[in-house]
Amino acid sequence: MPDTMPSTSVGLVTPRTETFETPLALACGKELPGFELVYETYGELNADASNAVLVCHALSGHHHAAGYHDLEDRKPGWWDAYIGPGKSIDTRRFFVVCVNNLGGCHGSTGPQSINPATGQNWGPAFPLVTVEDWVHSQAMLADRLGIERFAAIVGGSLGGMQVLQWAITYPDRLANAAVIAATPKLSAQNIAFNEVARQAIRSDPDFHDGWYEQHGTLPKRGLKLARMIGHITYLSEHSMGTRFGRDLRTDSLNYGYDVEFEVESYLRYQGDAFSTRFDANTYLLMTKALDYFDPASLHQGDLSKAMAHTRCPFLIVSFTTDWRFAPARSRELANALLRAKRPVSYANIDSPFGHDAFLLPNDRYEAVFTAFMTRAYHDMTRRAA
Amino acid sequence: MPDTMPSTSVGLVTPRTETFETPLALACGKELPGFELVYETYGELNADASNAVLVCHALSGHHHAAGYHDLEDRKPGWWDAYIGPGKSIDTRRFFVVCVNNLGGCHGSTGPQSINPATGQNWGPAFPLVTVEDWVHSQAMLADRLGIERFAAIVGGSLGGMQVLQWAITYPDRLANAAVIAATPKLSAQNIAFNEVARQAIRSDPDFHDGWYEQHGTLPKRGLKLARMIGHITYLSEHSMGTRFGRDLRTDSLNYGYDVEFEVESYLRYQGDAFSTRFDANTYLLMTKALDYFDPASLHQGDLSKAMAHTRCPFLIVSFTTDWRFAPARSRELANALLRAKRPVSYANIDSPFGHDAFLLPNDRYEAVFTAFMTRAYHDMTRRAA
């Protein structure tokens, strides 16, 4: 944490847990016999519960989107740049909710939780959950919190896909949708990268078909490789070039396999850190949720038909150097919404930082995002009046 | 092989081996105490040995560039589309030489060869060889074959880098240079992909620090992952999309980790096949040779200075959808040659097939390549007259 809490921070926050005893029917056909969701909230829910904003997290994200858990925390939540007093999602106006998704490894029910049928952790037996399942479970949490309709639902990357699914599944339960650095479906290349990551994890001898906890091991090698691959796709070629170039860590070439180039050092460090902090079974199922997401597939591939019954205005944001989910994917979505005669704004933000740009400070992105949320706020107060 | 040998094929070919007893000083400072090179030739060397063309291979390539080894072969050599009677490199005109590079795993001295100092295979103790080392050893082979000066030296990808190095190291020993789908140096992103591939191999428990032969194992898992990553970078996003899209191998989603999407099946198949056919130590050192290549680094990063003392005309070819070594890299090279006032032609060929395009039939690429080689032939005959 900084020495003094900045006035634009939501400050110290504490996660909460809701327990759901009713079974949840999943898209895969299986049923989850009750579950827990860990979530955080920032700001105050107003009297008519009309000012709630749901923030959806991405592949390796979680419920800790803003503020600090502890005075010793080195970093705030993952989207602190955009959530707080006076920020794009202004917590003086909005009551923000962020949930760790089902299947996650940060407290919500997932592979590390106890399977009541066996008394052991679920491990690889945890059912594959989809973006639709997440949205269902988030809606159950909203019910529990007394939120009938969100003033906005927002998210980047895989989080943006959840926003899309909300607009499709519960068109009356959100007043605005912000879909950032996302795509209406993964490309073959996206699936290919996910598949290499999965193979890296699943072929690690310490993976034991997912029962590593029972074997007292962790598939660190596989998870490290998966994260290294991920990182390459999160950064732009340009930002990697500017940040690392061909700079050497050593005075000269060492003609061996120790770290030589700065970019090698960065990737190894990121991979190592991730390999002990994230659960491999969760990583696997999250990549599958990404692969499966394709709302147009229920409409013979016509995305505009998938979006036809949505009812809220959309903000679509892409970043010029994002090659994971390139601007063309966001344009495809914006065009589908236009064809469906749905209200949509689209901004392609100039940034050198690739896919990661959705997490980083950027004046123009902030201006676009703030304007959209300000309009959401004024719509909300107008409706209340 | 086809039922009848096509008239445009060089036909049945047999590799030959040259043995060099003199030690070879390597860029890393070590010395190789003698070595063997396996190579193939197609066509006939003319009386004054002026019609030789050296073909340099890429990362996973070898000396078998054209024709068939056996009547049962399912496929011809890797560049058969461009080498043969009437093809771009016309074997009625030229005597073509293609060498398996030092450190390779197809017959030339490499990690699988016997280290005379130990009587065991070199394994990971085989010194890291560089593009410069390859060029030196290729020049020694040329001496042995009585070739003082090549009519042309040509290559794609890592092969193109060897062509560049030839033009720098031995400016008087080649009359023409064709550098295809190459780059004057790897970017941070290129190095990053290589590093993930290396980590995949080196973290495979069956790798045993490179002594897998001694342990009776093969680091198949790692090599498979390395190849899968490689394949993603060889194909364009577009060609992956057209070829595989989101097509399923199964009737419906199986909500598990067996193969579901066609692209997963393709990558696993390619990875598995490669993991038993290629040597892991060779793969590692080839990626290092790629990382290290940077002729401009000896001239404070000024590529035009590196190219200033070259003496031959250059053909530079790139492919529009190649994102491994993008057209911008080829333009960088062409511009450096122009600044150095060297003769250069540059063609950016329209192809949907990404980096792999340099291996595939393409009318325009063939026309450009053929025109360059025809001019090389006429120059050669004019000089002889």
Side-chain angles (χ1 to χ4, degrees):
Chain A
M1 215 200 71
D3 287 341
T4 49
M5 187 66 73
S7 63
T8 56
S9 172
V10 300
L12 286 175
V13 294
T14 307
R16 273 177 282 176
T17 301
E18 282 290 328
T19 304
F20 299 84
E21 308 283 358
T22 37
L24 179 70
L26 301 171
C28 65
K30 292 182 185 162
E31 208 176 60
L32 204 59
F35 58 95
E36 291 190 342
L37 290 179
V38 168
Y39 65 102
E40 288 184 5
T41 67
Y42 322 114
E44 298 290 326
L45 188 63
N46 61 9
D48 62 353
S50 66
N51 71 334
V53 171
L54 179 66
V55 169
C56 303
H57 72 72
L59 179 55
S60 58
H62 42 63
H63 54 285
H64 183 39
Y68 298 83
H69 281 163
D70 191 283
L71 290 173
E72 303 301 312
D73 284 358
R74 285 191 305 120
K75 284 183 181 174
W78 57 268
W79 224 11
D80 197 87
Y82 295 96
I83 301 171
K87 294 182 183 171
S88 294
I89 305 175
D90 191 336
T91 48
R92 296 171 308 191
R93 292 172 162 180
F94 294 113
F95 173 70
V96 180
V97 182
C98 187
V99 194
N100 183 216
N101 282 329
L102 270 183
C105 54
H106 290 89
S108 290
T109 298
Q112 292 179 317
S113 310
I114 297 301
N115 177 352
T118 65
Q120 290 212 313
N121 73 314
W122 279 96
F126 193 84
L128 281 198
V129 283
T130 64
V131 171
E132 288 150 284
D133 297 328
W134 286 336
V135 164
H136 290 152
S137 62
Q138 289 160 359
M140 290 168 77
L141 178 66
D143 292 341
R144 195 65 71 83
L145 298 176
I147 300 162
E148 171 52 32
R149 188 169 183 256
F150 284 100
I153 302 185
V154 304
S157 194
L158 178 53
M161 297 175 182
Q162 294 161 56
V163 179
L164 276 184
Q165 192 63 51
W166 262 96
I168 293 167
T169 309
Y170 300 111
D172 297 319
R173 297 197 68 173
L174 71 168
N176 291 279
V179 179
I180 299 167
T183 173
K185 66 178 180 219
L186 261 61
S187 70
Q189 190 189 71
N190 292 146
I191 295 173
F193 278 120
N194 279 348
E195 171 64 5
V196 181
R198 283 191 292 264
Q199 287 292 317
I201 292 170
R202 297 181 56 80
S203 71
D204 184 332
D206 286 333
F207 180 68
H208 297 292
D209 288 328
W211 299 108
Y212 39 88
E213 190 171 312
Q214 280 71 3
H215 284 80
T217 58
L218 277 181
K220 284 190 218 168
R221 286 170 294 234
L223 207 46
K224 174 180 178 176
L225 292 170
R227 184 61 164 182
M228 289 173 83
I229 296 163
H231 259 287
I232 299 178
T233 69
Y234 303 153
L235 303 181
S236 70
E237 174 159 40
H238 178 84
S239 65
M240 264 200 165
T242 333
R243 189 156 163 195
F244 309 111
R246 297 176 52 82
D247 291 352
L248 293 172
R249 289 271 290 183
T250 45
D251 287 342
S252 58
L253 299 177
N254 63 27
Y255 294 103
Y257 297 101
D258 291 337
V259 160
E260 289 196 303
F261 294 99
E262 286 288 353
V263 67
E264 295 172 325
S265 168
Y266 170 81
L267 285 179
R268 288 190 197 182
Y269 175 83
Q270 294 291 339
D272 281 330
F274 191 75
S275 72
T276 53
R277 142 180 126 226
F278 207 86
D279 180 59
N281 285 318
T282 287
Y283 199 84
L284 290 172
L285 69 81
M286 293 265 175
T287 64
K288 274 297 193 183
L290 274 164
D291 286 4
Y292 286 169
F293 184 71
D294 183 10
S297 65
L298 298 173
H299 302 271
Q300 293 76 48
D302 187 339
L303 184 60
S304 69
K305 281 198 180 133
M307 304 311 293
H309 299 289
T310 64
R311 294 183 147 223
C312 64
F314 285 82
L315 170 66
I316 316 287
V317 176
S318 61
F319 298 92
T320 48
T321 56
D322 183 353
W323 64 281
R324 180 175 172 82
F325 299 149
R329 315 287 186 81
S330 283
R331 275 198 296 276
E332 189 187 329
L333 174 58
N335 286 331
L337 286 162
L338 285 177
R339 283 202 309 281
K341 304 198 191 310
R342 306 313 309 147
V344 56
S345 309
Y346 167 56
N348 187 26
I349 303 290
D350 209 14
S351 163
F353 298 115
H355 189 61
D356 264 359
F358 87 87
L359 297 165
L360 302 173
N362 176 310
D363 286 347
R364 198 156 172 80
Y365 169 31
E366 192 190 340
V368 166
F369 197 2
T370 303
F372 186 77
M373 293 306 295
T374 302
R375 213 192 49 178
Y377 177 72
H378 290 312
D379 283 356
M380 182 189 100
T381 47
R382 199 174 313 125
R383 268 193 304 271
Chain B
M1 216 200 69
D3 287 342
T4 50
M5 187 67 74
S7 63
T8 54
S9 173
V10 300
L12 286 174
V13 294
T14 307
R16 273 177 283 176
T17 301
E18 282 290 328
T19 304
F20 299 83
E21 308 283 358
T22 38
L24 180 70
L26 301 170
C28 65
K30 293 183 185 160
E31 206 176 60
L32 205 57
F35 58 95
E36 292 190 339
L37 290 179
V38 168
Y39 65 102
E40 288 184 6
T41 67
Y42 323 113
E44 298 289 327
L45 189 63
N46 61 9
D48 62 352
S50 65
N51 72 334
V53 171
L54 179 66
V55 169
C56 304
H57 72 72
L59 178 55
S60 58
H62 42 63
H63 53 286
H64 184 39
Y68 299 84
H69 281 164
D70 190 284
L71 291 172
E72 304 301 313
D73 284 358
R74 286 190 305 120
K75 283 182 181 174
W78 57 268
W79 224 11
D80 198 86
Y82 294 96
I83 302 170
K87 294 182 183 170
S88 294
I89 305 175
D90 192 335
T91 49
R92 297 168 309 189
R93 292 171 162 179
F94 294 112
F95 173 69
V96 179
V97 183
C98 187
V99 196
N100 183 216
N101 282 330
L102 271 182
C105 55
H106 291 88
S108 289
T109 298
Q112 292 179 316
S113 309
I114 298 300
N115 177 353
T118 65
Q120 291 212 312
N121 73 315
W122 280 96
F126 194 83
L128 280 198
V129 285
T130 64
V131 171
E132 289 150 284
D133 296 327
W134 287 335
V135 165
H136 290 151
S137 63
Q138 290 160 359
M140 290 169 76
L141 178 67
D143 293 342
R144 196 66 71 83
L145 298 175
I147 301 161
E148 172 51 32
R149 187 170 185 256
F150 285 100
I153 302 186
V154 303
S157 194
L158 179 54
M161 298 176 182
Q162 294 160 58
V163 179
L164 277 184
Q165 192 63 52
W166 263 96
I168 293 167
T169 309
Y170 300 111
D172 297 319
R173 298 198 68 174
L174 72 167
N176 290 279
V179 180
I180 300 167
T183 173
K185 65 175 183 226
L186 261 60
S187 68
Q189 192 190 68
N190 293 147
I191 296 173
F193 277 120
N194 280 347
E195 171 64 5
V196 180
R198 283 191 292 264
Q199 287 293 317
I201 292 169
R202 297 180 57 79
S203 71
D204 184 333
D206 285 334
F207 180 68
H208 296 291
D209 287 328
W211 299 108
Y212 39 88
E213 191 172 310
Q214 280 71 2
H215 284 80
T217 58
L218 277 180
K220 285 191 220 169
R221 286 171 293 235
L223 208 44
K224 174 180 178 176
L225 292 170
R227 184 61 162 180
M228 290 173 82
I229 295 163
H231 260 286
I232 299 178
T233 69
Y234 303 153
L235 303 182
S236 69
E237 174 160 38
H238 178 84
S239 65
M240 263 199 167
T242 327
R243 190 157 162 195
F244 308 111
R246 298 178 49 85
D247 291 352
L248 293 173
R249 290 272 290 183
T250 46
D251 287 342
S252 58
L253 300 176
N254 63 29
Y255 294 102
Y257 297 101
D258 291 338
V259 159
E260 289 195 304
F261 294 98
E262 286 288 353
V263 67
E264 294 173 324
S265 168
Y266 170 82
L267 286 178
R268 288 191 197 181
Y269 176 83
Q270 294 291 339
D272 281 329
F274 191 75
S275 71
T276 53
R277 143 181 127 228
F278 207 86
D279 180 59
N281 284 318
T282 287
Y283 199 85
L284 290 172
L285 69 81
M286 294 266 174
T287 64
K288 274 296 192 183
L290 274 164
D291 287 4
Y292 286 170
F293 184 71
D294 183 9
S297 65
L298 298 173
H299 302 271
Q300 294 75 48
D302 187 340
L303 185 59
S304 69
K305 283 199 179 130
M307 304 312 293
H309 299 288
T310 65
R311 294 182 146 225
C312 64
F314 284 82
L315 170 67
I316 315 288
V317 176
S318 61
F319 298 92
T320 48
T321 56
D322 184 353
W323 65 280
R324 180 175 171 82
F325 299 149
R329 317 284 186 83
S330 284
R331 275 198 298 276
E332 187 187 330
L333 173 58
N335 286 330
L337 285 161
L338 286 177
R339 282 200 310 278
K341 303 200 192 307
R342 307 313 309 147
V344 57
S345 308
Y346 167 56
N348 187 25
I349 303 289
D350 208 16
S351 163
F353 298 115
H355 189 61
D356 264 358
F358 87 89
L359 297 164
L360 303 173
N362 176 310
D363 286 347
R364 199 156 172 81
Y365 169 30
E366 191 189 343
V368 166
F369 197 2
T370 303
F372 186 77
M373 294 306 294
T374 302
R375 213 192 48 178
Y377 177 71
H378 290 312
D379 283 355
M380 181 190 100
T381 48
R382 200 174 312 125
R383 269 192 303 270

